[in-house]
Amino acid sequence: MGCAIIFGFLLLLCLCTAALITCTAVLLNHNNDDGSTKVAATNIGLNYGLLGDNLPSPSNVISLYKSIGITKIRIFDPNTDVLNALRNHQDIGVTVGVKNQDLAALAASQEAVKVWFATNIEPYLADVNITFITVGNEVIPGEIGPQVLPVMKSLTNLVKSRNLSILISTVVAMSNLGQSYPPSKAMFTPQGREQLVPVLKFLSQKNTPILVNIYPYFAYASNPVNISLDYAIFNTKHVVVEDGLMKYSNLFDAIFDAFVWAMEKEGVKNLSMVVSETGWPSAGNGNLTTPDIAATYNRNFVKHVESGIGTPKRPNCSIQGFLFATFNENQKPAGTEQNFGLYNPTDMKPIYTLF
């Protein structure tokens, strides 16, 4: 998560009543015999960020994931401590990111890609369940956006030559949308069209999902007068936005469908999307960010996805994704950025109860 997201939201809101969106996951809480919370997760994962100086050890974090039933995690770079802690926990699927600062060297040389893979992925193939490699995080659209596709192609050829089932994709923000409202009128920005559309077409050919970061919070926080809180956190049942025959009662569906419409206008149809990040901060912006509101968003988001109804544009779609984030990270920018965690890092206790 970064400034690209915030800029994207402000841009979308300037164009109308903006949004961010995609599909995410299934999350159920059950009480263990000891009274702790148990998460039964099918399509839900957690982002495991490391921008904190008070985080628990990776082995303790993996134990936490096991205790709450998390079967998917995303890390932002091939961190050796985390990957070593994941050894022999193959019931946890891992999405590993290629760091943005590595893209230039990798885009320039297939040999560099082979060395990166041999160094960062190869040592863990036997006993870590690596399911995705994501090439860059929110670099499209942007100065280094054109470096994504050549690295994706090189890594795709590499894993294919090895008969590995690892999927190669990238992570994008909603700043790629130049217009998002109403959803059927959505389209990519000129730079988004130039940099993202070739990536989408490549992924479509390979039947590999695009990963998207989606934060309805930012749209709401930027325009709370015109976007109601209930609409942003799935707390209303009545129709708020009508778009032809499609009716929307939550911001999530409207934004998700906006991205789908934008893809279809570029000839990319039926490409699946994974939510690489979504969530709501529990502090940092006054009464817009309380533990109760954060819990309500995540709870209703999970219920919505678990229902299987999909969105008006893609009804009954299968959704998977990653909540952001496991912990509050104190080395991120002050304010909301430090308060997206589900757990306090010092005692590993939940900040709020989802159910």
Side-chain angles (χ1 to χ4, degrees):
M1 173 171 37
C3 60
I5 292 178
I6 298 172
F7 171 79
F9 286 104
L10 294 174
L11 175 63
L12 297 179
L13 286 165
C14 288
L15 290 164
C16 234
T17 156
L20 294 185
I21 175 171
T22 311
C23 300
T24 302
V26 178
L27 182 64
L28 294 172
N29 279 2
H30 304 280
N31 288 328
N32 293 335
D33 293 339
D34 62 2
S36 62
T37 299
K38 176 73 172 178
V39 177
T42 56
N43 286 347
I44 187 67
L46 290 182
N47 281 273
Y48 181 5
L50 295 166
L51 294 179
D53 60 12
N54 59 352
L55 298 174
S57 69
S59 60
N60 285 339
V61 177
I62 302 310
S63 295
L64 170 66
Y65 291 146
K66 303 277 281 190
S67 73
I68 61 176
I70 288 295
T71 60
K72 297 179 178 70
I73 69 168
R74 174 183 171 226
I75 55 177
F76 294 82
D77 60 79
N79 182 281
T80 55
D81 291 335
V82 174
L83 289 169
N84 280 322
L86 283 161
R87 290 187 186 276
N88 301 314
H89 294 295
Q90 293 179 314
D91 53 335
I92 298 178
V94 186
T95 295
V96 179
V98 177
K99 292 188 290 189
N100 295 349
Q101 56 264 41
D102 292 342
L103 292 181
L106 298 178
S109 167
Q110 290 189 11
E111 187 60 33
V113 171
K114 292 179 181 178
V115 171
W116 182 92
F117 190 89
T119 302
N120 297 293
I121 302 298
E122 180 81 34
Y124 307 100
L125 290 177
D127 50 9
V128 177
N129 181 17
I130 298 173
T131 57
F132 270 92
I133 297 174
T134 55
V135 178
N137 184 43
E138 295 186 344
V139 298
I140 297 175
E143 182 179 351
I144 63 175
Q147 298 170 356
V148 170
L149 186 56
V151 180
M152 285 178 55
K153 288 181 175 179
S154 294
L155 280 171
T156 299
N157 291 336
L158 180 57
V159 298
K160 183 179 180 181
S161 70
R162 298 282 305 276
N163 293 317
L164 299 172
S165 59
I166 300 171
L167 298 177
I168 311 298
S169 190
T170 189
V171 176
V172 298
M174 288 299 140
S175 52
N176 283 282
L177 289 178
Q179 179 173 337
S180 66
Y181 179 86
S184 64
K185 302 298 183 183
M187 62 182 65
F188 295 127
T189 65
Q191 191 177 38
R193 183 177 297 112
E194 177 185 357
Q195 296 181 7
L196 179 59
V197 172
V199 169
L200 296 174
K201 290 183 176 179
F202 176 75
L203 291 172
S204 183
Q205 292 169 1
K206 301 300 179 182
N207 196 28
T208 298
I210 182 70
L211 280 75
V212 292
N213 289 347
I214 296 162
Y215 288 94
Y217 161 74
F218 288 111
Y220 166 72
S222 297
N223 193 4
V225 173
N226 295 316
I227 300 176
S228 75
L229 178 61
D230 284 344
Y231 183 58
I233 64 174
F234 301 91
N235 238 15
T236 181
K237 300 299 183 184
H238 66 273
V239 174
V240 176
V241 171
E242 292 193 34
D243 183 10
L245 297 177
M246 298 185 181
K247 304 179 187 300
Y248 294 91
S249 60
N250 66 79
L251 183 55
F252 174 87
D253 283 353
I255 306 170
F256 179 89
D257 284 357
F259 200 88
V260 174
W261 277 108
M263 289 197 299
E264 290 191 356
K265 287 173 184 172
E266 302 297 335
V268 180
K269 301 181 183 295
N270 303 316
L271 178 63
S272 59
M273 295 188 288
V274 171
V275 180
S276 35
E277 298 178 22
T278 194
W280 198 285
S282 61
N285 191 14
N287 60 9
L288 304 187
T289 53
T290 68
D292 182 63
I293 294 174
T296 300
Y297 172 79
N298 284 326
R299 179 186 306 122
N300 288 339
F301 173 79
V302 165
K303 288 180 179 179
H304 179 67
V305 174
E306 185 195 13
S307 72
I309 63 175
T311 70
K313 178 68 172 166
R314 283 189 175 176
N316 306 312
C317 74
S318 176
I319 297 169
Q320 58 178 309
F322 300 81
L323 289 172
F324 190 89
T326 305
F327 300 107
N328 283 340
E329 299 169 64
N330 64 5
Q331 292 179 329
K332 301 200 76 172
T336 57
E337 291 279 325
Q338 294 185 355
N339 290 285
F340 275 90
L342 300 178
Y343 293 87
N344 285 307
T346 52
D347 57 13
M348 297 178 66
K349 292 184 178 179
I351 293 169
Y352 49 79
T353 304
L354 288 181
F355 295 86

